[in-house]
């Protein structure tokens, strides 16, 4: 019985090897819409202790402590395993600056980033895990800032030209006007380029 989960996972992974062989293995120009959650409180708790301690004491991953938002995302493949991606997202929150008190009033946070995705497998697989790193900028109530997004995700190919994207990032501040936070997102994406035919 213990071998069944491993067998099922191996079957699902290997079943993707023959997926859409007439499709280009390079990511086509893709546009996505994401629903995301910003988690500043969870990031603060992790930094004050550790991830394992924050999880054990239930100080990490609480939905009530997160702020929702929407983002648009563009992806362009560079090769079978590397993509360029850029996103622009907005949410309303009371931004927790590191060196000043709260505003006690929600305002619009605009964040954009430019990143590189490194995929474990190419687009001929049903599921493509990836790592992501880049640089980003934010604007909140006239304050501009910079951050470094680093994270991981999976791309699920649901049709030849449609994808589900699930991503988690840790956004590291590089200016005094930004703060550490987690960024969790799920998105629906579709190819917007002309379909490439392989010989």
């Amino acid at each position: 019985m213990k071998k069944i989960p491993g067998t099922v996972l191996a079957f699902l992974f290997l079943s993707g090897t023959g997926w859409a062989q007439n499709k280009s293995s390079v990511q086509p120009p893709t546009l996505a819409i994401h629903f995301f959650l910003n988690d500043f409180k969870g990031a603060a708790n992790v930094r004050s202790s550790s991830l394992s301690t924050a999880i054990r004491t239930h100080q990490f991953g609480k939905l009530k402590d997160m702020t929702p938002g929407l983002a648009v995302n563009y992806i362009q493949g560079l090769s079978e395993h590397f993509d360029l991606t850029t996103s622009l997202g907005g949410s309303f929150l009371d931004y927790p600056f590191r060196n000043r008190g709260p505003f006690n009033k929600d305002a619009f946070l605009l964040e954009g980033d430019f990143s590189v995705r490194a995929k474990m497998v190419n687009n001929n697989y049903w599921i493509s895990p990836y790592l992501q790193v880049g640089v980003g900028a934010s604007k909140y109530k006239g304050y501009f800032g910079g951050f470094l997004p680093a994270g991981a995700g999976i791309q699920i190919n649901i049709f030849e030209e449609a994808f589900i994207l699930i991503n988690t990032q840790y956004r590291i501040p590089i200016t005094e006007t930004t703060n550490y936070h987690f960024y969790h997102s799920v998105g629906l994406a579709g190819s917007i380029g002309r379909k490439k035919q392989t010989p």
Side-chain angles (χ1 to χ4, degrees):
M1 293 297 292
K2 292 182 179 179
K3 293 183 178 180
I4 291 178
T7 303
V8 172
L9 289 175
F11 173 77
L12 291 174
F13 182 76
L14 293 174
S15 68
T17 59
W19 148 263
Q21 292 297 320
N22 63 337
K23 182 169 73 75
S24 172
S25 57
V26 178
Q27 181 80 31
T30 303
L31 189 66
I33 300 295
H34 292 261
F35 171 79
F36 67 84
L37 293 168
N38 284 319
D39 183 8
F40 288 87
K41 189 171 182 179
N45 291 333
V46 168
R47 284 180 53 77
S48 65
S49 56
S50 68
L51 179 59
S52 60
T53 300
I55 292 173
R56 188 176 64 253
T57 58
H58 307 289
Q59 295 181 325
F60 176 78
K62 293 183 178 180
L63 289 178
K64 69 181 182 65
D65 295 329
M66 302 182 192
T67 305
L70 291 175
V72 61
N73 171 223
Y74 175 77
I75 307 166
Q76 173 68 65
L78 295 177
S79 67
E80 287 190 350
H81 296 283
F82 290 94
D83 304 328
L84 289 178
T85 175
T86 183
S87 67
L88 186 67
S91 55
F92 285 91
L93 71 162
D94 185 1
Y95 196 93
F97 282 101
R98 287 178 288 163
N99 297 317
R100 61 156 295 160
F103 290 95
N104 295 317
K105 184 178 180 182
D106 289 351
F108 185 68
L109 170 65
L110 181 68
E111 289 186 315
D113 71 272
F114 183 80
S115 304
V116 175
R117 298 194 312 173
K119 294 188 289 190
M120 184 180 296
V121 296
N122 63 37
N123 273 22
N124 284 334
Y125 289 78
W126 288 100
I127 298 177
S128 302
Y130 62 85
L131 298 176
Q132 180 175 342
V133 65
V135 63
S138 65
K139 180 180 183 294
Y140 182 83
K141 293 180 71 72
Y143 294 89
F144 293 88
F147 61 90
L148 299 175
I154 58 172
Q155 175 174 289
I156 303 170
N157 299 333
I158 51 176
F159 299 109
E160 284 195 11
E161 298 180 1
F163 315 92
I164 293 174
L165 301 169
I166 302 171
N167 179 260
T168 292
Q169 298 175 14
Y170 185 47
R171 297 195 158 182
I172 305 165
I174 56 177
T175 65
E176 291 296 319
T177 52
T178 50
N179 203 348
Y180 295 91
H181 63 287
F182 290 102
Y183 173 96
H184 311 292
S185 71
V186 59
L188 182 61
S191 172
I192 58 173
R194 182 176 298 177
K195 184 178 178 181
K196 294 182 179 179
Q197 298 292 335
T198 57

